[in-house]
Amino acid sequence: MNILILGSGGREHAFAVKLSQSKKTTSLFVAPGNAGTAKIAHNLAIDPTDFPAVKKGVLMHAINMVIVGPEAPLVAGVHDYFLSDPELKHIPVIGPKKDGALLEGSKDFSKQFMQKHTIPTAKYQSFTKESLTEGYAFLETLSAPFVLKADGLAAGKGVLILDSLEDAKSELEEMLNHEKFGDASSTVVIEEFLDGIELSVFVLTDGKSYKVLPSAKDYKRIGEGDKGLNTGGMGAISPVPFADTDFLQKVEDRVVKPTINGLQKDGIDYRGFIFIGLMNVEGSPFVIEYNVRMGDPETEVVIPRIDSDLLELFQGVANQNLNEKLVSINPKTATTVMLVSKGYPEAYHKGKEITGVQNVDNSTVFHAGTKIEDGKILTNGGRVLAITSLGDTIEEALEASYSSISNIHFDGMNYRKDIGFDLV
Ligand code: AMP
Ligand code: GLY
């Protein structure tokens, strides 16, 4: 089969590495890809949200399946675009249609969905410009800290957690009246603060049955000890030691099953990944958010632990016989540490030469923000490389990742030296 992966990050490189190992893969394409995917696949200079350009690439390269990495093309309706085009409609797309993508594209929609299907989540209400006064009143019924969420996609920045009622009210006003997050904050979800430990569970579904994939924990803050600004993710670990069999059974019974059943009841034919962000509150799972794709850098620890043929699983999604497929999980621990550009997550430089990647032999180097120019690998984003290792313990895996990092260099390279600090 000829496969096209949409996206350009570490997640897409991890998919590409895994799919390149499948006997069923004939040719692999990534749009737009990075320096890592260029080594194992053909990069296509196509913007994943430019659907006519995607169509051209698909027809030109006789693509048989499209795997969508990031949320933007899904929320914009890439799957619906394929289904409505006579030349594309027979080509399976791994990723939900617009209706399912709303689980990530609208916080208000996802909270309504959870409430309707009695999926445990924080108590909430939604407000618009017109109901600002009611928003203030709702905030007064809650206790600190206060959680405000822009309804729409806000590049991962739309959630504010505030310690004082005063700040919460003024931020609510900024979001609703002054478009703090543009159109994304024209509706704001205010919710109860959940006190617990976070983790993520990943599910692959064909709309009828599902497979629960390995769980993972990511480290979102830029600074050690989970301090400083939020990032896309600075590292991840899988499995999550505090997510034992008992807890994961609760997740499956209280969250996964009602989610899949809820989608069916609501007539949403969902084919793809569901990334469930959870809070473990004294042993009980609560959903913080749904994403309609895999996580990044979580993919860089989840995929290396799947021993089964990923393309075979995707075929199960496309043909709706996922229930007949087996997912075999490697019991080892996987860790990944992100190497980022100086300044990230604020303004950062690009175009710095990366050296030493070829000297890494105990880890897998997944490229995130990189490109090739004149045979040199250059930085091309805030998050640059994810260094993934497997080990019998977290400590062993982390040791391998950190020792591999000592081989790699680029100007301004930064990374957290304490990934897993709370787990070991
Ligand atoms: P989100 O963009 O929904 O992933 O939210 C960003 C982060 O805010 C989450 O990863 C949590 O750390 C935190 N968060 C979101 N909602 C809540 C909540 N209700 N209680 C506590 N923390 C939350
Ligand atoms: N690492 C978090 C995410 O992919 O949304």
Side-chain angles (χ1 to χ4, degrees), residues 95-106 109-119 203-211 255-276 290-293 320:
K97 291 178 284 171
K98 250 180 164 168
D99 54 358
L102 266 187
L103 281 182
E104 176 165 358
S106 166
F109 175 85
S110 79
K111 294 296 282 192
Q112 284 185 41
F113 177 86
M114 288 184 256
Q115 201 167 44
K116 181 170 173 194
H117 301 293
T118 42
I119 295 162
V203 176
L204 183 64
T205 180
D206 61 3
K208 289 181 176 168
S209 66
Y210 64 86
K211 300 286 180 191
V255 178
V256 177
K257 283 181 188 159
T259 298
I260 302 297
N261 291 338
L263 288 167
Q264 279 175 23
K265 278 185 204 154
D266 292 351
I268 298 173
D269 177 19
Y270 193 113
R271 319 263 181 114
F273 291 102
I274 309 178
F275 163 163
I276 308 172
Y290 289 110
N291 294 306
V292 298
R293 52 176 173 85
Q320 288 198 301

Side-chain angles (χ1 to χ4, degrees), residues 56-277:
K56 218 170 134 196
V58 163
L59 296 179
M60 183 185 293
H61 299 290
I63 298 297
N64 306 109
M65 179 184 280
V66 178
I67 292 119
V68 187
E71 65 279 12
L74 295 169
V75 173
V78 67
H79 196 156
D80 312 67
Y81 179 87
F82 270 65
L83 289 174
S84 67
D85 187 303
E87 289 177 284
L88 300 177
K89 67 178 181 202
H90 63 285
I91 301 169
V93 175
I94 305 301
K97 291 178 284 171
K98 250 180 164 168
D99 54 358
L102 266 187
L103 281 182
E104 176 165 358
S106 166
K107 302 261 186 209
D108 180 48
F109 175 85
S110 79
K111 294 296 282 192
Q112 284 185 41
F113 177 86
M114 288 184 256
Q115 201 167 44
K116 181 170 173 194
H117 301 293
T118 42
I119 295 162
T121 188
K123 192 176 85 178
Y124 85 105
Q125 279 185 33
S126 299
F127 301 93
T128 58
K129 219 178 200 167
E130 289 67 39
S131 53
L132 179 62
T133 326
E134 288 91 329
Y136 291 154
F138 184 62
L139 281 171
E140 282 166 12
T141 69
L142 301 173
S143 43
F146 302 93
V147 183
L148 306 185
K149 300 184 171 183
D151 173 55
L153 294 182
K157 295 188 171 69
V159 175
L160 301 178
I161 299 185
L162 304 147
D163 288 324
S164 83
L165 181 61
E166 235 169 70
D167 290 349
K169 285 183 175 174
S170 82
E171 289 291 353
L172 180 64
E173 212 247 323
E174 282 291 316
M175 288 166 93
L176 291 176
N177 283 353
H178 306 289
E179 302 189 339
K180 175 160 182 152
F181 299 106
D183 217 23
S185 65
S186 58
T187 297
V188 173
V189 168
I190 301 181
E191 66 178 40
E192 185 184 40
F193 181 81
L194 296 170
D195 199 3
I197 323 178
E198 261 181 275
L199 74 156
S200 300
V201 168
F202 303 91
V203 176
L204 183 64
T205 180
D206 61 3
K208 289 181 176 168
S209 66
Y210 64 86
K211 300 286 180 191
V212 179
L213 306 176
S215 60
K217 183 178 192 302
D218 82 338
Y219 291 80
K220 286 204 172 87
R221 304 296 193 95
I222 185 72
E224 272 142 34
D226 283 341
K227 301 267 171 12
L229 294 175
N230 250 325
T231 70
M234 294 293 289
I237 291 189
S238 175
V240 183
F242 61 81
D244 56 16
T245 320
D246 177 48
F247 180 79
L248 289 174
Q249 192 59 51
K250 287 183 195 164
V251 172
E252 191 161 348
D253 294 339
R254 299 180 194 175
V255 178
V256 177
K257 283 181 188 159
T259 298
I260 302 297
N261 291 338
L263 288 167
Q264 279 175 23
K265 278 185 204 154
D266 292 351
I268 298 173
D269 177 19
Y270 193 113
R271 319 263 181 114
F273 291 102
I274 309 178
F275 163 163
I276 308 172

